[in-house]
Each structure stands twice: as C-alpha cells, then as structure tokens.
Amino acid sequence: MTTHDLPPAQVMLEAFFGRDPSYDGIFVTGVQTTGIFCRPTCSAKKPRPEHVHFFGTAHEALLSGFRPCKRCRPMELSGTPPQWLRPLLAEIEADPGRRWTDHDMRAAGLSPERVRRWFKRNHGMTFHAFGRARRLGAALGQVKRGSRVGPAAFDAGYDSLSGFQDAFVQYFGSSPTALGDASVVHVDRITTPLGPMLVGATDEALCLLEFVDRRALSTQVARVRKGLSAVFLPDRNEVVDLTAAQVEAYFAGELEAFTVPTVTPGTDFQRVVWAALANIPYGETRSYSELAHGIGRPSAVRAVGSANGMNALAIIVPCHRVVGADGRLAGYGGGVWRKQRLLDLERSVTSSRTSC
C-alpha cells in the first residue's frame, strides 16, 4: 500500500487517537515535532493533529527522515515476542511441563502482571492457563500413545489423580480416556508483515491458518474442531514449523506454491470450491462467477462465495485471489486492506520475474 492508497486522513486521525488495533499494519504515523514514527496503537502521549504525518509503510517513514519509536517498535512484526519475554519462552519450550509460579518469574527478573498481559493479548489466555494447557496436552499425548492415566498425570506435574482428572475435564470437556482416540490440533501464532496469524495442525497436516483478528475466527476454529473431532492445544509441531517457514518465504517473495500438507474438513461442495481456489495461478484473480463456471455450477455464485468465506487456510488456499465481476475487491475475512496487500505482493513478484 502506497501513501496515496491510504484511508482518508480523518479516518486515520480517529484511528490513531483512538489507538484502534484494526489499523495496525495499514499505516504508521510520523510526528513532526519529535521526528519519531509509531504504530496507530502506540501508548505514547498523542501529539497535536497538525504535527502528524501518515505513511503506508515503515520504509516510507524512514525515507522521510523519521526514526522508529522505542515504545511501540513499528519496525517489528506485530505480535513478535518482545526481547524481555524471549528467555521465558525459551524456557517453556525446553521444559513444557514446568509449573511456573509468580515467585519464579520475579526471580527471573520478570513482572508476572506484565507477562500475564502479554499472554492474554497474544494468546487469549493468561500465562498460567497457557502452561496448564501445555501440561494437559502433554498428558493427553501420553494417553494416546498407550500410557495409563495415572503415570501421565504425575508426569504432567499433578500431585493427585483426582486433581488431574478435574483439570482435564474442565479444559477439554471429557476425561483423558474418552479422548484417547481424538485428533490433536497443535495451535500457535506466527508473525507476518500483515499481522499475527493463528496456525493449527495435526501431526500430519495443516488445518487452520487465519489472521488472529479475522471476523468469526471462533466460528472457524469450532468448525475445524468439529470436522476433525479434535482437541486444540497451544503447542508447535513440525507441520506448524513448516507452515511458518513457508509463509515467511511467501511474504519475502521467494515462494509461490505451498507444499505443506493440508486437511480441509467441510462439505463436498466446499472442498470442490477450495480445490478450484488452489488452482488460481499466483498473481492472478478470478471472479466468483468464473469460479462457479469453472466447477460446472454456473448458477451457484452465491454458494461459491459462501464456501470461499468458509476457507480456513488463508493465503495457502488463496481466497484473496477472488474478486467481484467488475474487478473490485469484495469482502475478505482478514480485511480488504490485507487482500489488496496480498495481491500487490504477488503482482510485484510476477512483474519483476517477467521483466528479468
């Protein structure tokens, strides 16, 4: 998005002074009196409106002589763990079963309240709830591999079997043995230039990739959970790591076709539409009508649009490549501005390739 593509100045002013998170990634603001540029959500004291300049990217702000704010860090991808938190995250990965207390965090030089706020904002749960989910997930994994419930409970750090059973049922809604045959979807967040994304994958395939502020994200999660008869756990696995690497390469303009294995629970019609979406060439677009004709259902334009909106694998199943009959950008779950950015990225890559 270039500067002339930005929303009206009054809209951006209202978003900036209201610290509206939905505009994070659409523009940054340069303050003439300080020479600093910030995210719309920056918590620093707001300047007078006449001193504010708007830029579509941090790069544009830098070229105009502004330097990045040290408080909101506009050069970092939104959702990137801050430096002060990274040692704790490394400890969690090294020992997921450890039960951290507020005393432990203070001993490590961390504020429990600050950690709690970050996890609540970025994972939708407190740090202690995150740790509890990780421990319960590890125990479920043992049960699924044939371990008895008792050893799994004690390995997960629970002092009694009854306490483990109660915690398990409260989190998952069923007992460990009842979920022994359930699929497990490992979920984590990854950062992108267009904001954080939620990634969900079984041990075999990717089943969820959505921007965390997507409209009706909870509906998508519930639909995938039901379609796979799965339980969701905050955790990473090889499929999540592969997805993160391929998404990063995509945004760098280095990858046009994803190879991560996927599973798409849905109706037969939905899967046909999603397969057609996957066949739209990189850097090109199709209208809803063309998509309907392509699957042999020319009168099912509305149904095609609905299936398009139910796609749970953003970018990988490229529903952003579908536009209105007149070429205008229609609705997109992640926001029309993201749809524009994705198309701009692909077109710039294909343009540079053909000009070589």
Side-chain angles (χ1 to χ4, degrees), residues 114-147:
R114 191 182 190 190
V115 172
R116 187 178 299 111
R117 284 195 300 269
W118 189 88
F119 270 84
K120 189 68 176 175
R121 183 173 62 252
N122 288 276
H123 288 278
M125 63 180 74
T126 65
F127 170 70
H128 292 304
F130 180 87
R132 185 164 55 251
R134 291 289 298 270
R135 292 193 301 276
L136 289 170
L140 176 59
Q142 289 191 40
V143 172
K144 287 175 65 64
R145 290 189 294 271
S147 173

Side-chain angles (χ1 to χ4, degrees), residues 190-191 199 236 239-249:
I190 61 173
T191 55
V199 185
R236 293 181 78 95
V239 179
V240 171
D241 289 338
L242 176 61
T243 303
Q246 293 197 2
V247 168
E248 181 178 3

Side-chain angles (χ1 to χ4, degrees), residues 18-58:
R19 296 190 174 95
D20 189 338
S22 65
Y23 283 84
D24 196 2
I26 299 181
F27 66 84
V28 295
T29 56
V31 181
Q32 188 64 46
T33 51
T34 64
I36 292 174
F37 71 93
C38 303
R39 302 178 186 272
T41 53
C42 187
S43 60
K45 182 180 178 181
K46 298 300 185 183
R48 295 172 64 87
E50 60 266 27
H51 295 154
V52 177
H53 298 267
F54 296 103
F55 302 96
T57 64

